[in-house]
Amino acid sequence: VDVSAIQIYHDQVDDLLPAEGQRPSRDGVRKLRCSTSCELLDAFSKARRSLIYAETRMNKASSRSHAIFQLRILRRSSSEPAT
């Protein structure tokens, strides 16, 4: 399973899963390989922590953005070699 996460905020697309020590970047979307459910949940939590929030008059915790968390699930037959 490969996962990626982006946020669309003020017409900008930001990667919510940047490499360690990097800020979210618009240069490309990072795809993380997850082998376990724990790794998948960790990636989801990391993406949530990277979301940008902006206060509005109506809501102090409004995100005013769209976030997409994508799962790419590949299935191969048992006769195919693992990559």
Side-chain angles (χ1 to χ4, degrees), residues 1 3 17 32 34-49 69 71:
V1 176
V3 299
L17 294 172
L32 295 178
C34 295
S35 301
T36 67
S37 58
C38 287
E39 289 176 350
L40 182 67
L41 290 172
D42 286 344
F44 183 76
S45 295
K46 182 177 181 177
R48 293 251 332 169
R49 287 190 304 271
F69 188 80
L71 300 173

Side-chain angles (χ1 to χ4, degrees), residues 6-78:
I6 63 169
Q7 178 177 31
I8 303 167
Y9 182 73
H10 288 292
D11 297 327
Q12 294 180 357
V13 178
D14 294 308
D15 186 357
L16 295 176
L17 294 172
E20 291 299 320
Q22 292 181 345
R23 297 183 65 175
S25 144
R26 284 170 262 132
D27 296 329
V29 177
R30 181 173 182 217
K31 292 176 181 68
L32 295 178
R33 174 77 33 104
C34 295
S35 301
T36 67
S37 58
C38 287
E39 289 176 350
L40 182 67
L41 290 172
D42 286 344
F44 183 76
S45 295
K46 182 177 181 177
R48 293 251 332 169
R49 287 190 304 271
S50 297
L51 286 171
I52 297 168
Y53 289 94
E55 183 178 317
T56 66
R57 287 184 291 162
M58 297 290 287
N59 185 349
K60 289 190 179 281
S62 173
S63 70
R64 302 188 65 169
S65 67
H66 301 281
I68 300 168
F69 188 80
Q70 181 178 5
L71 300 173
R72 182 171 179 241
I73 302 170
L74 296 175
R75 181 177 175 227
R76 62 178 174 266
S77 69
S78 58

